[in-house]
Amino acid sequence: MLTEGQQQRPATGGTQALLRLIAWMSPAFPIGAFSYSAGLEQAVADGSIGDAASLQDWLSGAIAEGAVWNDAVLLAESYRAAEDVERLHAVASLAEAMAGSRERQMETMLQGEAFIAAASAWPTGGDEIMPARMAYPVAVGAVAGAHATGSEPAIAAYLHATASNQISVAIRCGVLGQRAGVAVLAALEGEIGAAAERAAASSLDDLGSAGILADIAGFRHETLTSRLFRS
């Protein structure tokens, strides 16, 4: 509690960047991430994911060599392009084209649009160069780049938030409980850090996915009879 005559000091430097990343990647940030499963609900329905071990394997693959890895590469490129309007528009177009299914395209574009709108609470003065619509990882990279949060921390925060949301999906689908979900997130910490470091040094030539089963689950989820999530 501040005493009389004291003033609350604003966060500066690395602390300020950290606070912004925490806010932007929080489950409470209003982008509707809780509504989407990225095909995970279909994988649960198919029996591909039925416990903590299979969930961890699924997420490990997505982070290392699946759609989540591609998101990390796109985020890194958009971070570097934050002040280059032509380059940013190009990576935004590429990211939208790479969405593997109709619902995955809807998921990434709606979340990106919501992220840009909510992140405007932290104006940069360069917001006018940003495309009106961007895939979610591109939106995060562009905003993080404009605020100079550091590329690797931004990617790590994004990957951690993505894994956390997928674990939440699995919990709501009845695959595992909350304590087991936290254990999965803890077990993925090293892989998230390694992927963030690798992605920060990547280029668009490093795009590529071996997540075939995840892509198929995304396609099939569009026709799942009874479901909790939009993708």
Side-chain angles (χ1 to χ4, degrees), residues 78 88-89 91-93 95-96 105 107-116 127 129-143:
S78 57
L88 185 57
H89 277 260
V91 70
S93 296
E96 182 173 7
Q105 192 269 353
E107 174 181 357
T108 192
M109 298 306 294
L110 289 180
Q111 286 192 71
E113 185 176 354
F115 182 87
I116 290 294
D127 296 335
I129 78 165
M130 293 189 183
R133 282 169 47 84
M134 287 189 284
Y136 180 40
V138 176
V140 174
V143 170

Side-chain angles (χ1 to χ4, degrees), residues 55-75:
L55 174 64
Q56 184 174 330
D57 286 345
W58 183 275
L59 295 177
S60 294
I63 291 167
E65 54 189 8
V68 181
W69 163 251
N70 282 340
D71 281 356
V73 174
L74 292 166
L75 194 160

Side-chain angles (χ1 to χ4, degrees), residues 42 102-103 216-227:
Q42 181 65 56
R102 180 182 65 84
E103 289 193 353
I216 292 173
F219 290 133
R220 296 187 61 235
H221 187 260
E222 296 180 3
T223 58
L224 186 63
T225 301
S226 177
R227 61 188 196 174

Side-chain angles (χ1 to χ4, degrees), residues 145-227:
H147 288 268
T149 64
S151 176
E152 188 173 329
I155 297 167
Y158 177 91
L159 294 177
H160 189 273
T162 299
S164 296
N165 190 65
Q166 291 277 276
I167 290 168
S168 177
V169 168
I171 291 171
R172 283 179 281 168
C173 286
V175 172
L176 73 175
Q178 291 181 325
R179 294 178 72 178
V182 169
V184 170
L185 188 61
L188 290 171
E189 190 173 275
E191 294 176 54
I192 289 172
E197 181 179 4
R198 187 161 55 103
S202 70
S203 72
L204 294 180
D205 290 339
D206 295 300
L207 288 169
S209 172
I212 298 173
L213 292 179
D215 291 339
I216 292 173
F219 290 133
R220 296 187 61 235
H221 187 260
E222 296 180 3
T223 58
L224 186 63
T225 301
S226 177
R227 61 188 196 174

